[in-house]
Amino acid sequence: MAQRIDGKAVSAKVRAAVAQEVAALKERGVTPGLAVVIVGDDPASRIYVNNKKKACQATGIHSEEYALPASTTQEELLALVDQLNHKKDIHGILVQSPLPKGLDEGAVVEAIDPQKDVDAFHAYNVGKIMIGDYHFLPCTPAGIMELLKAYEISVEGKRCVVIGRSNIVGKPMAMLLLHQNGTVTICHSRTKDLPEVTRQADILVSAVGKSHFVTANMVKPGAVVIDVGMNRDENGKLCGDVDFDTVEPLASFITPVPGGVGPMTIAMLLKNTVTAAKLQNQLL
Ligand code: NAP
């Protein structure tokens, strides 16, 4: 039976470390500040934004929310980003995704000052990550690396398979595993014989977005299984991509949903905001 990876416990440790760093920075006259921009009234986005605000408060990070109506134009949104780029008490800018139809998310991300890009989605930061010389890592993959570290799971020399190739999860995840000397394969919707590929994985990361997607026949006995998925099952209950009940007995470690990868994402956002504050105050 797999050991369950406790994302809540690890994220609590990361948050405690962040709170200490914030306190130390405040003594030096720097209060890390995060601006969260939300456009429209997507209920899931509203929950994420509220959670981010609460997490900032709990760690002493100054946070500002900019809630704009769904009718906001691209020009208005870009003007706000520009204003925040120049705001001295704001070190991190996060524009909550998804944006309402008609707004160009890519252009908004590119307008954020790379030094304030705490999501690490800007092409400059993506390039830095590729090279392996970076300040920020995207929060979800960074959180997964933190979980592996906390459970002393070494990546070096391991066969790692990532299912999913999005810019926010799959691709950076693969890159971080590669930086840790894993042998990495990225799978996607056009991958042939997916179970055959995933069965080779010592470390299997699923970032697909489909419940019960990863079944027991796709998992090598003893594999580490990391579930990024956040889906609703037939009963409307939050679940991951992994068919947990059948995979748990096979794996060596497994992340549950909820309580696995999810709590790490916000913790890493806080960490990135502190890094941004240090970077902008020449304290790195
Ligand atoms: P996404 O952009 O929709 O990407 C999904 C990926 O899965 C795509 O690369 C897609 O391949 C691949 N895929 C779809 N069907 C497949 C199949 N049958 N076989 C193999 N690959 C398949 O999603 P995302 O933004 O990366 O998010 C993935 C999941 O993680 C979602 O459930 C999301 O809610 C969750 N998530 C969780 C957190 C967290 O904090 N826990 C953070 C971010 C995302 P193609 O590229 O070929 O289409």
Side-chain angles (χ1 to χ4, degrees), residues 91-142:
H91 305 100
I93 303 169
L94 183 151
V95 180
Q96 185 63 47
S97 174
L99 291 176
K101 276 203 184 100
L103 294 175
D104 179 350
E105 207 158 316
V108 174
V109 169
E110 291 310 303
I112 295 173
D113 179 342
Q115 291 212 353
K116 296 192 176 187
D117 170 39
V118 282
D119 265 335
F121 293 163
H122 190 289
Y124 174 85
N125 287 321
V126 174
K128 296 285 274 181
I129 292 162
M130 185 95 167
I131 293 164
D133 165 29
Y134 47 79
H135 293 298
F136 308 117
L137 292 174
C139 301
T140 302

Side-chain angles (χ1 to χ4, degrees), residues 166-216:
S166 69
N167 289 329
I168 63 166
V169 189
K171 281 186 206 159
M173 185 70 244
M175 198 51 61
L176 300 195
L177 291 165
L178 181 63
H179 287 326
Q180 297 282 318
N181 300 315
T183 301
V184 185
T185 303
I186 308 175
C187 300
H188 44 77
S189 65
R190 318 283 170 87
T191 298
K192 291 216 172 85
D193 303 322
L194 181 67
E196 198 178 298
V197 181
T198 58
R199 269 199 304 272
Q200 293 180 25
D202 301 309
I203 300 176
L204 177 61
V205 181
S206 182
V208 174
K210 293 183 179 165
S211 51
H212 308 296
F213 184 81
V214 176
T215 45

